[in-house]
Amino acid sequence: MAWTDDMTVRVARGASLRALVLYLRAADTAGTGRREILAVLTEQFALPFDDARLAMDRVQGGVTRALTGNPANKPDSVKDPLAWMSYRLTLGLPVDDDVLGPSAEELASAEALLERARRGEPTHGTEDVAVALEVARLAVASQEPDRVRLHLLLEAATSLSVAAEACIVQLGQQPCAPEGSQEWADGVALAAAARQVTAKFAAQPDPKLEERGFGLVGRIVTRILGQCHAFVGRAMMESARCIQRNGDPHRAATHLEALLADFEVLVDRFEADDPLDDDPFDEDVIALEHLLAAVELIIEVRGSSAELDSLRHRTKQVLDRLLTC
């Protein structure tokens, strides 16, 4: 579990627990599907899947306690802040926002990097995650002329890359960041920002820029968030589909060979498990869906084989079973 006994969670820089609670309450009112809610919680708010499930539970718990009308049911604001905020909001009581954005110094550093880019100077980058995220935010939002905006986006990509490499160095011998840690939240935020920059690269005449952008996303995800198969699977599929769009389907298929090798263990595991033992984790289902997509892309490019057909059949069987548990 990523949370501690006091049921607290860490959210991304620039987000807040209050915003998290408000989102979950609005999603419940709108009848938003679980898959969409989890995507927002794990990407926008940078929660690991365990913490996302905890957040959903605690916010609903706050609503339930408020509806009892018994003041003795008020949650502890320190040990259970999400339930406490949800409880107060349900009763129409105020909750202070706890968002903490970049400092004045970080904003100034970001602007200085972008000003260098506007002058056409070589990209520089920064090891400061907060600064890198602000550079990316401003570059993506820029409405400046195309040539200038491209320089800003290149600086943003460099800043995200340098900041990510600094995070990786800080992890030392750890294969990836502990779930729920500041490093984990920063990894999620850096990957999300890299995707936003990459989306802008897709509009550029040089298709290799988009491919390099997805390569940056993959580097961040595999080295900082690599214990989450759902995140890794998405990043690898994004890169492969970009390579395929750029006219090199065989390299796209080769890119996915590692995914097949690493993810087949999930199929083995669920084939061996009694489906009645536990409900499947959301992230395992997502990872298996990426595995199935990878197998089908490889078959599309290279044609079928007994081994690929078997893996596709087994993955479909496991997914069908998990989705009906």
Side-chain angles (χ1 to χ4, degrees):
M1 295 287 189
W3 62 82
T4 62
D5 291 339
D6 59 4
M7 296 186 181
T8 61
V9 300
R10 184 192 305 275
V11 296
R13 297 171 189 261
S16 70
L17 293 181
R18 181 176 183 274
L20 174 60
V21 173
L22 289 172
Y23 166 75
L24 284 172
R25 286 167 51 81
D28 181 63
T29 300
T32 306
R34 179 182 179 88
R35 188 68 164 269
E36 183 179 341
I37 291 172
L38 284 170
V40 172
L41 296 187
T42 58
E43 296 174 27
Q44 180 178 325
F45 289 97
L47 301 184
F49 280 89
D50 275 348
D51 282 6
R53 286 184 284 267
L54 172 67
M56 295 165 69
D57 175 74
R58 300 321 304 150
V59 169
Q60 184 56 50
V63 172
T64 301
R65 291 189 181 198
L67 294 178
T68 67
N70 184 355
N73 287 332
K74 183 177 72 172
D76 188 293
S77 62
V78 175
K79 293 183 178 180
D80 200 353
L82 295 178
W84 178 80
M85 290 182 181
S86 181
Y87 174 91
R88 288 184 61 84
L89 290 168
T90 301
L91 295 177
L93 300 173
V95 174
D96 292 337
D97 203 350
D98 55 318
V99 65
L100 183 63
S103 67
E105 292 78 9
E106 289 163 343
L107 292 173
S109 296
E111 287 288 1
L113 287 169
L114 290 172
E115 188 55 39
R116 286 171 52 95
R118 290 187 184 93
R119 295 196 298 265
E121 297 182 23
T123 58
H124 187 268
T126 174
E127 294 187 355
D128 189 310
V129 172
V131 175
L133 293 175
E134 183 64 14
V135 169
R137 186 187 71 80
L138 292 172
V140 168
S142 170
Q143 298 297 313
E144 296 177 68
D146 289 349
R147 184 176 180 82
V148 175
R149 187 164 66 249
L150 176 58
H151 285 300
L152 300 184
L153 291 170
L154 290 171
E155 176 56 50
T158 300
S159 292
L160 295 171
S161 178
V162 172
E165 292 303 322
C167 290
I168 292 168
V169 169
Q170 289 177 359
L171 291 176
Q173 297 302 311
Q174 296 180 82
C176 50
E179 292 191 2
S181 65
Q182 184 63 60
E183 292 80 8
W184 177 275
D186 285 346
V188 174
L190 288 167
R195 284 190 173 97
Q196 292 171 346
V197 172
T198 299
K200 295 296 183 180
F201 281 155
Q204 300 299 320
D206 182 0
K208 291 299 181 182
L209 281 176
E210 184 188 13
E211 187 176 323
R212 287 168 57 193
F214 279 125
L216 172 58
V217 174
R219 171 69 175 167
I220 295 168
V221 169
T222 55
R223 281 296 287 111
I224 302 178
L225 314 170
Q227 60 183 284
C228 181
H229 282 88
F231 286 171
V232 173
R234 176 187 175 187
M236 294 189 71
M237 285 304 304
E238 287 171 335
S239 286
R241 286 179 173 135
C242 179
I243 295 168
Q244 186 180 36
R245 287 196 302 272
N246 286 346
D248 198 345
H250 289 283
R251 186 159 62 88
T254 299
H255 180 76
L256 292 175
E257 289 175 351
L259 189 153
L260 267 59
D262 291 343
F263 282 36
E264 189 173 1
V265 296
L266 291 174
V267 179
D268 296 338
R269 190 179 94 205
F270 284 109
E271 284 178 332
D273 285 349
D274 182 340
L276 300 179
D277 284 346
D278 292 293
D279 290 334
F281 286 125
D282 305 274
E283 57 269 38
D284 291 327
V285 173
I286 295 170
L288 287 166
E289 290 172 347
H290 288 310
L291 172 59
L292 181 59
V295 173
E296 291 180 338
L297 187 151
I298 293 174
I299 290 175
E300 175 189 341
V301 172
R302 297 178 177 171
S304 61
S305 68
E307 185 178 67
L308 288 171
D309 286 343
S310 173
L311 182 55
R312 176 169 61 177
H313 176 70
R314 292 169 59 213
T315 305
K316 283 183 174 180
Q317 280 194 319
V318 168
L319 272 172
D320 287 344
R321 194 191 80 189
L322 295 181
L323 292 171
T324 55
C325 284

